[in-house]
Amino acid sequence: MDSSNLSSSMPQEGQLKLTEEAIITIKQVDESSAKRSVSNESRKSKDVTRKEQIASDQQGDDQCPQSDTAKDKKTEFKQDEVPNSNGKSIPTFHPCNNIGINDFNHQHYSRVCRNGIDINLIVVGESSLGKTTFVNSFLQSNDTNFRPKKTMDFVEHKATLSDGDQKFNLTIVDTPGFGDKSDNSNCWRPIATNLLHRLNAYFQNEVKMDRETSEIDSRIHGCLFFINPNGHRLQPLEIYIMKKIDQFVNIIPVIGKADTMTSDELNHFKKRVIADMVREKIRYFREPHNEKKAKIPIPFAIVGAGAPIEHDGKCIRGRAYPWGLVDIDDPKQSDFCQLRNFLLYTHIEGLKHKTHKLIYDTFRTEKLVALNATPGSQFISAEEMNQKYISEQTQLVEEALTKVMKEKYREKENNLELLETNLKTHHKDYKHALKKRITALEEEKNRLIKEIGPEKVKKAGILA
Amino acid sequence: MNKGPRHRPKFLSKKGKKLRIMVAGSSYTSYQACINSLCSKQILEAETEIDPLKAHIDRILEIREFNADILEDEFHVDLTVIEVNGFGDKIDNSASFEVVTHYLESQFDQALIEESKIKRNSKFTDTRVDALLYFIAPRGHCLSEFDLEAMKRFSKRVNVIPVIGNSNAFTEEELKNFKDVIMKDLKQCNIKVFDFPWDPEEDEDEVIEDNKRLWESVPFAVSGGVSEEDEEGYQRIVKKFQWGTFVIDDPAHSDFLNLKTVLFISHLDILKSITKQTYYENYRTEKLSNDSPSNTSLSLQKQNSIVANEDKRSVNGSERTETRSSIDQSEMRTNVSDSTKSEELKKINSIKVDNTSSLKCDSYGNTKTKTNQLNCEQIGLEVISPKEFPHRTTSSRNSLPNNTTKELEMKKMDDLSHERYENLPFYR
């Protein structure tokens, strides 16, 4: 409805502009026939707007009414030229198609019909609350297995649903239930790991140098949390797990096996569940109350369907009890249809927007802050970049200076080496001369001792 | 049963038979509504109001007792319902088993202390639990690990009767499959639940067929509802849906009537006798063999204070017994009571030997008089116990041989009583 309103309002503005231009041209041509031509133009413009409205409702081609107006203009000009042979005729041009913002809705709708809407959901809850049965009912798979088996691992179901032109690429992750063991403190970890893994995959792709634009967005847009239909209040285990995962995904509370409760019990239980979630400050998916839209029956009361049942010639999806027959497609007995409308039509854009802007952005912020704190991170701030540049330049200067110093050092070392060799040879000659002097003095001493005599030498106290 | 006017001796009490039932299950099973429908009263209430200041504190598993006097045309039962509130509702349920097991064993301890006293309290109230209704959540796939562990532990101390709560979540085929899966799991894990024992020689064919039919419908699929009057003016318990009305009294919809019959009419006495002679005796043997003398004295001193406190609170526990036998049997019982008054305690052994045939009559009817309560209990323990044990341990149910020789009977009774502990699965 909104799209049709938008598309219908824009052509009116165009038509108003056209009529103004027509008035200007007519005044320039001939003032005497202005009144008649203005009245005729107003009538024709009304007819054209009606045709365009019909065409936009049917989403057909918009060229026909434009061509009609063009023909009218041409014939009109010819009529004007005949009585006035002296005056000049000024040609005017009119766009044949919608341009600019006027055609945006149509283009968007075409692209959506061609590519399809991606919806990623995960089903979480206690054991044996009908999660797998719900997935089969939602995807309309003809499962003739009368005895549903226990889901033991994360199973990803993919399907493409079509509704006229629209196409939905649906991915539902089925999870094994929790609450079987005595100690259920860690049963939330596989679910949180799966959700974080998908957020991280999108983040890694976003951060890469070469992004893969064709990579499929696998982030979970909504989590169908199946609540135990005990009729009193939320279980402590359910509250515990909701608090653990509500920061990673949009929680949509769903009451599984709601056919175990009567209508009064169910209404009372729904109020209790919402009150419990509000009191425990669990962030489940909700939008500001819009009076125009129908009220959302959160939490949705779901009845799982087994094999199709033939009743009064019809094929009904439901459950056959000894005391009556439950039809899951009946809005009075089950909220299955309302949940399907909620997920596929009315609130899918809100779920995606909240997943991207709130959940993913929070995750991204925390991730970047964590990466910034670790050493060797690949993300550098401007200040760090400047410091890095300065350090590089300093290093270059240091290298140049080192080179110069090395050359000087080498030169001086060579000089010192030469000096050392000279000193060695000089020392050698000096030593040789001293030896000769020693031998000469020894001979002199011996000669003097012989001349004086050994006894006088002893008396004089001169040691020999 | 005698539906006509009954001959009630003067010495019988006007109060009904005492029955103590423990109820365990998570709140998903809606056992409160079921017990309320069973008693036709509002005695258990689901917790709807939580104090916000205390919501963050982990709720404590607490055991509560509620009394109800069930009075209908054919029976009168003084019922005590012991509720384990919050069982299976926590995130970490590991400690839930110990609380229940400790409670069951403490009742046996009190009976053991009272039995060991020199001067026994005549007003002592027997607080042993006769049956435990274990409510299984209506999952539909199989029993959870928690349920299997719980029933395995409790079945060693009490008669466990498995019950599927909120059974209106199933269609007929799903219910049958779920029952088969449950029985397969119980058999695979060697969990012995109450299996409706019968004696092929002494019991009538109708009784045997009833027991077989009841055994096939175990676990009982029940659900709670609201009582209203039918179009014909009869009272019935219903649960109204948009697609139809679920009548709990209707055997095609649930096993409510079967459960009611088992608890209050047909198997009331068997439950009590098995509690005394199988579970209590096993516990007594374990207790006396494992405890050292010093520990025994310490535990006795501790338990004495508990018993002293309970003596003040206890109400007169005399029981009213209902006569099923004919006038002749009642005359024989009066003769027995007259003879026991005149004799001394030392001659109890001679009473056993002389009145063996009359005691058999007592064992059939399970009737006890007020004055001979203690003596009959003593004698009954030795006489009835050999019969009951073979029913539970062996597939072929053997009965006592009918030999006229007294000596042979005594020897064979000793042999059977000697073998009863060896044949039990606990000692294998």
Side-chain angles (χ1 to χ4, degrees):
Chain A
M1 293 299 294
D2 292 335
S3 61
S4 62
N5 288 327
L6 287 173
S7 62
S8 64
S9 63
M10 294 304 291
Q12 289 178 356
E13 294 178 3
Q15 288 300 317
L16 290 173
K17 292 179 180 178
L18 288 172
T19 53
E20 288 177 358
E21 291 174 358
I23 290 162
I24 292 164
T25 53
I26 288 160
K27 283 181 180 178
Q28 290 178 2
V29 169
D30 190 1
E31 291 181 357
S32 63
S33 64
K35 293 182 180 179
R36 294 178 183 177
S37 62
V38 164
S39 63
N40 291 327
E41 283 294 328
S42 64
R43 289 179 185 175
K44 290 180 180 178
S45 66
K46 287 180 182 178
D47 293 332
V48 167
T49 53
R50 287 177 186 173
K51 289 181 182 178
E52 284 190 352
Q53 283 179 358
I54 293 163
S56 64
D57 288 335
Q58 294 177 355
Q59 297 170 355
D61 197 358
D62 292 332
Q63 292 180 359
C64 293
Q66 293 292 330
S67 61
D68 291 336
T69 55
K71 289 178 181 178
D72 293 338
K73 291 293 179 180
K74 289 179 181 177
T75 55
E76 193 171 0
F77 278 121
K78 288 179 181 178
Q79 289 177 1
D80 290 339
E81 283 177 0
V82 168
N84 299 319
S85 61
N86 293 324
K88 294 181 180 179
S89 65
I90 299 170
T92 58
F93 299 95
H94 304 283
C96 297
N97 293 322
N98 293 325
I99 59 173
I101 198 67
N102 202 10
D103 200 36
F104 177 79
N105 285 308
H106 182 70
Q107 293 173 23
H108 178 69
Y109 184 74
S110 300
R111 192 177 72 248
V112 164
C113 291
R114 184 171 59 252
N115 295 330
I117 299 172
D118 294 327
I119 301 170
N120 299 327
L121 302 169
I122 191 170
V123 181
V124 170
E126 278 193 29
S127 299
S128 311
L129 286 181
K131 299 188 290 297
T132 306
T133 307
F134 168 78
V135 170
N136 291 329
S137 302
F138 197 81
L139 301 179
Q140 298 176 6
S141 62
N142 294 321
D143 189 3
T144 57
N145 189 5
F146 285 91
R147 191 165 177 173
K149 295 182 179 179
K150 190 179 178 68
T151 306
M152 302 303 289
D153 203 354
F154 283 68
V155 179
E156 201 169 284
H157 299 270
K158 292 195 175 184
T160 302
L161 306 180
S162 299
D163 182 30
D165 293 333
Q166 285 196 2
K167 192 169 68 173
F168 301 97
N169 299 320
L170 193 59
T171 302
I172 300 183
V173 181
D174 196 5
T175 63
F178 47 78
D180 282 344
K181 302 180 187 300
S182 298
D183 188 357
N184 299 302
S185 303
N186 294 318
C187 57
W188 60 275
R189 289 185 188 277
I191 301 163
T193 302
N194 191 281
L195 296 169
L196 281 169
H197 181 72
R198 292 163 183 273
L199 290 171
N200 199 41
Y202 189 86
F203 176 74
Q204 292 295 329
N205 185 43
E206 191 185 60
V207 153
K208 277 197 281 187
M209 297 294 290
D210 297 326
R211 297 187 191 182
E212 297 180 10
T213 55
S214 63
E215 183 170 335
I216 298 167
D217 181 10
S218 65
R219 294 175 295 174
I220 299 292
H221 301 126
C223 169
L224 299 171
F225 198 100
F226 276 68
I227 292 166
N228 200 324
N230 59 359
H232 305 304
R233 63 176 182 275
L234 277 179
Q235 297 292 305
L237 182 58
E238 289 165 345
I239 292 169
Y240 177 74
I241 289 173
M242 278 186 189
K243 282 184 171 179
K244 291 290 180 181
I245 65 171
D246 65 351
Q247 55 181 327
F248 305 133
V249 79
N250 291 311
I251 290 177
I252 302 165
V254 172
I255 299 171
K257 287 191 174 178
D259 51 348
T260 57
M261 291 186 280
T262 59
S263 301
D264 296 336
E265 289 173 0
L266 188 58
N267 291 327
H268 181 72
F269 185 54
K270 284 188 176 185
K271 293 175 183 175
R272 283 307 306 242
V273 166
I274 295 296
D276 284 347
M277 292 173 88
V278 169
R279 191 186 71 242
E280 297 286 341
K281 298 174 184 175
I282 293 166
R283 294 173 284 179
Y284 63 99
F285 178 77
R286 50 186 153 175
E287 284 187 343
H289 182 59
N290 195 346
E291 293 178 359
K292 294 180 181 178
K293 293 184 180 179
K295 196 172 183 180
I296 308 165
I298 284 185
F300 298 94
I302 297 298
V303 177
I309 303 157
E310 290 187 1
H311 183 69
D312 293 336
K314 299 177 185 177
C315 190
I316 291 172
R317 299 190 300 166
R319 294 170 68 78
Y321 288 112
W323 52 90
L325 185 66
V326 187
D327 185 5
I328 67 169
D329 293 317
D330 189 348
K332 295 179 181 177
Q333 300 178 5
S334 169
D335 293 335
F336 183 82
C337 291
Q338 299 184 61
L339 179 59
R340 188 170 58 190
N341 282 337
F342 177 88
L343 291 172
L344 297 183
Y345 301 108
T346 58
H347 287 80
I348 182 58
E349 206 59 39
L351 286 165
K352 283 182 154 187
H353 182 82
K354 194 169 180 181
T355 301
H356 186 63
K357 288 293 180 183
L358 183 67
I359 292 165
Y360 175 70
D361 267 3
T362 305
F363 171 81
R364 185 172 174 273
T365 303
E366 291 175 357
K367 196 80 174 180
L368 289 173
V369 168
L371 281 173
N372 199 12
T374 55
S377 62
Q378 45 183 326
F379 303 101
I380 305 165
S381 63
E383 187 177 354
E384 289 182 3
M385 193 174 288
N386 287 331
Q387 290 178 0
K388 190 174 181 181
Y389 178 76
I390 288 166
S391 65
E392 285 178 357
Q393 294 298 319
T394 306
Q395 192 173 359
L396 289 176
V397 171
E398 190 174 352
E399 285 177 0
L401 289 175
T402 305
K403 190 174 180 182
V404 171
M405 290 295 290
K406 281 184 178 178
E407 288 179 358
K408 288 184 178 180
Y409 176 76
R410 193 178 301 112
E411 187 177 356
K412 192 163 187 177
E413 192 172 358
N414 289 330
N415 291 333
L416 288 174
E417 192 173 357
L418 289 173
L419 187 61
E420 188 177 358
T421 52
N422 286 330
L423 286 173
K424 280 185 178 179
T425 51
H426 197 70
H427 178 70
K428 195 173 183 180
D429 293 338
Y430 184 70
K431 193 173 181 180
H432 189 69
L434 286 176
K435 282 184 178 179
K436 287 183 178 179
R437 188 178 173 85
I438 287 166
T439 53
L441 287 173
E442 285 285 336
E443 288 178 355
E444 185 71 19
K445 187 174 79 173
N446 290 328
R447 185 175 63 79
L448 288 172
I449 287 166
K450 287 180 179 179
E451 285 181 355
I452 294 167
E455 294 179 357
K456 285 188 177 181
V457 170
K458 286 183 180 180
K459 286 182 180 179
I462 298 170
L463 294 174
Chain B
M1 301 181 70
N2 294 328
K3 295 188 178 180
R6 292 164 294 184
H7 176 76
R8 191 176 69 185
K10 293 180 180 179
F11 52 83
L12 292 180
S13 175
K14 291 184 179 179
K15 290 195 175 181
K17 292 183 179 178
K18 288 183 72 65
L19 181 66
R20 291 176 66 84
I21 290 172
M22 186 174 243
V23 180
S26 67
S27 61
Y28 179 26
T29 59
S30 297
Y31 64 89
Q32 287 103 351
C34 181
I35 296 297
N36 291 334
S37 302
L38 205 63
C39 305
S40 304
K41 286 181 186 177
Q42 187 80 16
I43 61 171
L44 300 183
E45 289 183 0
E47 284 187 353
T48 54
E49 295 297 330
I50 300 169
D51 194 359
L53 296 176
K54 299 179 180 177
H56 67 283
I57 301 170
D58 199 8
R59 276 164 257 175
I60 302 167
L61 195 75
E62 53 181 329
I63 295 175
R64 305 170 176 173
E65 291 192 5
F66 301 92
N67 289 313
D69 202 21
I70 296 174
L71 183 61
E72 286 194 14
D73 295 335
E74 298 179 358
F75 58 91
H76 183 197
V77 177
D78 184 11
L79 179 69
T80 301
V81 177
I82 301 153
E83 183 198 7
V84 187
N85 191 36
F87 185 80
D89 287 337
K90 296 181 182 179
I91 295 167
D92 187 356
N93 295 305
S94 303
S96 300
F97 309 127
E98 296 297 329
V99 175
V100 177
T101 308
H102 180 71
Y103 179 83
L104 293 170
E105 290 176 356
S106 63
Q107 311 311 310
F108 287 158
D109 283 333
Q110 290 175 20
L112 183 61
I113 289 160
E114 188 65 27
E115 197 180 69
S116 306
K117 283 183 178 179
I118 295 169
K119 291 184 179 179
R120 295 185 182 178
N121 185 13
S122 61
K123 295 184 178 180
F124 175 71
T125 304
D126 188 5
T127 56
R128 288 174 287 189
V129 179
D130 299 317
L132 184 140
L133 295 180
Y134 192 86
F135 279 79
I136 297 164
R139 299 185 180 278
H141 292 307
C142 58
L143 284 173
S144 64
E145 296 178 15
F146 177 75
D147 288 333
L148 286 171
E149 184 69 23
M151 280 198 273
K152 180 181 276 188
R153 295 198 188 196
F154 301 157
S155 62
K156 294 178 182 177
R157 296 281 180 247
V158 76
N159 288 308
V160 173
I161 299 175
V163 177
I164 299 172
N166 248 344
S167 63
N168 55 355
F170 295 116
T171 58
E172 284 180 359
E173 192 171 353
E174 289 170 359
L175 189 59
K176 188 182 178 185
N177 289 330
F178 190 40
K179 285 188 176 185
D180 292 339
V181 169
I182 286 173
M183 296 310 292
K184 192 187 294 181
D185 284 345
L186 293 177
K187 188 176 180 181
Q188 192 174 0
C189 296
N190 287 323
I191 295 169
K192 294 192 73 65
V193 297
F194 183 67
D195 56 354
F196 302 94
W198 67 83
D199 194 344
E201 290 189 3
E202 294 181 359
D203 287 330
E204 297 176 0
D205 292 336
E206 292 179 1
V207 174
I208 292 168
E209 286 177 4
D210 281 343
N211 284 332
K212 286 183 178 179
R213 179 179 56 81
L214 289 168
W215 177 241
E216 285 172 1
S217 66
V218 167
F220 299 114
V222 296
S223 183
V226 180
S227 65
E228 69 164 18
E229 287 195 354
D230 201 358
E231 296 168 358
E232 301 173 0
Y234 291 104
Q235 281 281 337
R236 64 173 191 174
I237 308 168
V238 297
K239 197 168 184 180
K240 286 186 173 179
F241 298 103
Q242 298 177 28
W243 48 89
T245 301
F246 174 67
V247 183
I248 293 163
D249 290 336
D250 194 343
H253 290 181
S254 74
D255 297 320
F256 184 80
L257 283 184
N258 284 335
L259 182 63
K260 199 170 186 179
T261 303
V262 164
L263 290 176
F264 299 146
I265 300 174
S266 61
H267 290 78
L268 174 63
D269 297 316
I270 294 172
L271 285 166
K272 290 175 77 69
S273 63
I274 289 172
T275 300
K276 287 180 182 177
Q277 292 155 21
T278 305
Y279 293 110
Y280 174 67
E281 289 294 326
N282 287 331
Y283 178 75
R284 185 170 174 272
T285 306
E286 291 175 13
K287 189 81 175 181
L288 295 179
S289 63
N290 288 329
D291 284 345
S292 61
S294 61
N295 289 330
T296 305
S297 62
L298 287 175
S299 64
L300 284 174
Q301 288 177 5
K302 290 179 183 177
Q303 295 291 337
N304 278 328
S305 62
I306 296 170
V307 172
N309 289 329
E310 284 200 1
D311 285 339
K312 298 175 183 177
R313 303 172 194 170
S314 67
V315 188
N316 189 5
S318 62
E319 295 180 356
R320 174 198 174 188
T321 55
E322 189 174 312
T323 56
R324 297 183 187 178
S325 61
S326 63
I327 295 167
D328 293 332
Q329 290 181 356
S330 64
E331 287 177 357
M332 293 175 71
R333 196 166 55 254
T334 53
N335 292 328
V336 169
S337 64
D338 291 334
S339 61
T340 52
K341 287 179 181 178
S342 62
E343 293 178 2
E344 296 177 359
L345 293 175
K346 293 181 180 178
K347 297 182 181 179
I348 290 170
N349 292 323
S350 62
I351 289 166
K352 292 178 186 176
V353 174
D354 293 334
N355 297 318
T356 306
S357 60
S358 63
L359 288 173
K360 284 188 179 179
C361 295
D362 290 336
S363 65
Y364 295 159
N366 282 323
T367 56
K368 298 158 191 173
T369 59
K370 182 179 180 181
T371 55
N372 297 325
Q373 184 175 358
L374 294 175
N375 295 328
C376 289
E377 281 182 356
Q378 280 184 344
I379 297 163
L381 286 175
E382 296 181 3
V383 173
I384 296 168
S385 56
K387 293 181 182 178
E388 297 297 333
F389 287 115
H391 300 334
R392 298 184 64 84
T393 54
T394 59
S395 61
S396 64
R397 290 173 165 80
N398 297 322
S399 64
L400 283 174
N402 292 322
N403 289 327
T404 56
T405 310
K406 295 177 182 179
E407 291 178 355
L408 288 174
E409 284 180 355
M410 293 300 294
K411 287 182 181 179
K412 289 183 179 178
M413 285 167 63
D414 288 336
D415 291 338
L416 285 170
S417 64
H418 183 70
E419 288 176 355
R420 65 188 179 186
Y421 297 113
E422 296 175 0
N423 292 328
L424 288 175
F426 306 107
Y427 292 96
R428 289 176 183 175

